[in-house]
Short mmCIF file of all heavy atoms in Angstrom, two decimals:
data_model
loop_
_atom_site.label_atom_id
_atom_site.label_comp_id
_atom_site.label_asym_id
_atom_site.label_seq_id
_atom_site.Cartn_x
_atom_site.Cartn_y
_atom_site.Cartn_z
N GLN F 24 -21.32 3.37 4.61
CA GLN F 24 -21.73 4.23 5.71
C GLN F 24 -21.06 5.59 5.55
O GLN F 24 -19.87 5.66 5.28
CB GLN F 24 -21.29 3.59 7.03
CG GLN F 24 -21.55 4.39 8.26
CD GLN F 24 -23.01 4.35 8.67
OE1 GLN F 24 -23.67 3.32 8.52
NE2 GLN F 24 -23.51 5.46 9.18
N ARG F 25 -21.82 6.65 5.71
CA ARG F 25 -21.21 7.98 5.80
C ARG F 25 -20.78 8.19 7.24
O ARG F 25 -21.50 7.80 8.15
CB ARG F 25 -22.23 9.05 5.45
CG ARG F 25 -22.13 9.51 4.02
CD ARG F 25 -23.24 10.50 3.71
NE ARG F 25 -24.04 10.04 2.58
CZ ARG F 25 -23.63 10.06 1.32
NH1 ARG F 25 -22.42 10.51 1.01
NH2 ARG F 25 -24.40 9.63 0.34
N GLY F 26 -19.64 8.83 7.42
CA GLY F 26 -19.16 9.04 8.78
C GLY F 26 -18.65 7.74 9.37
O GLY F 26 -18.50 6.74 8.66
N TRP F 27 -18.42 7.76 10.66
CA TRP F 27 -17.83 6.60 11.30
C TRP F 27 -18.57 6.33 12.61
O TRP F 27 -18.30 6.97 13.63
CB TRP F 27 -16.34 6.86 11.57
CG TRP F 27 -15.58 5.67 12.08
CD1 TRP F 27 -16.00 4.37 12.13
CD2 TRP F 27 -14.25 5.68 12.61
NE1 TRP F 27 -15.01 3.56 12.64
CE2 TRP F 27 -13.93 4.34 12.94
CE3 TRP F 27 -13.30 6.68 12.82
CZ2 TRP F 27 -12.70 3.99 13.49
CZ3 TRP F 27 -12.07 6.31 13.36
CH2 TRP F 27 -11.78 4.99 13.68
N PRO F 28 -19.54 5.40 12.57
CA PRO F 28 -20.30 5.11 13.79
C PRO F 28 -19.43 4.45 14.87
O PRO F 28 -18.39 3.88 14.54
CB PRO F 28 -21.39 4.14 13.33
CG PRO F 28 -21.20 3.93 11.88
CD PRO F 28 -19.92 4.54 11.45
N PHE F 82 -22.89 -2.18 8.22
CA PHE F 82 -22.30 -0.97 7.64
C PHE F 82 -20.82 -1.21 7.38
O PHE F 82 -20.16 -1.97 8.09
CB PHE F 82 -22.51 0.26 8.52
CG PHE F 82 -21.67 0.30 9.77
CD1 PHE F 82 -20.34 0.72 9.73
CD2 PHE F 82 -22.21 -0.07 10.99
CE1 PHE F 82 -19.56 0.75 10.88
CE2 PHE F 82 -21.42 -0.03 12.14
CZ PHE F 82 -20.11 0.37 12.09
N SER F 83 -20.34 -0.57 6.32
CA SER F 83 -18.92 -0.66 5.97
C SER F 83 -18.35 0.72 5.76
O SER F 83 -19.03 1.62 5.29
CB SER F 83 -18.72 -1.46 4.67
OG SER F 83 -18.94 -2.82 4.85
N MET F 84 -17.09 0.85 6.11
CA MET F 84 -16.34 2.06 5.82
C MET F 84 -15.18 1.59 4.93
O MET F 84 -14.49 0.64 5.29
CB MET F 84 -15.81 2.62 7.14
CG MET F 84 -15.06 3.90 6.99
SD MET F 84 -14.83 4.62 8.62
CE MET F 84 -13.46 3.63 9.18
#
Side-chain angles (χ1 to χ4, degrees):
Q24 176 76 36
R25 263 176 237 286
W27 187 11
F82 73 81
S83 287
M84 182 167 79

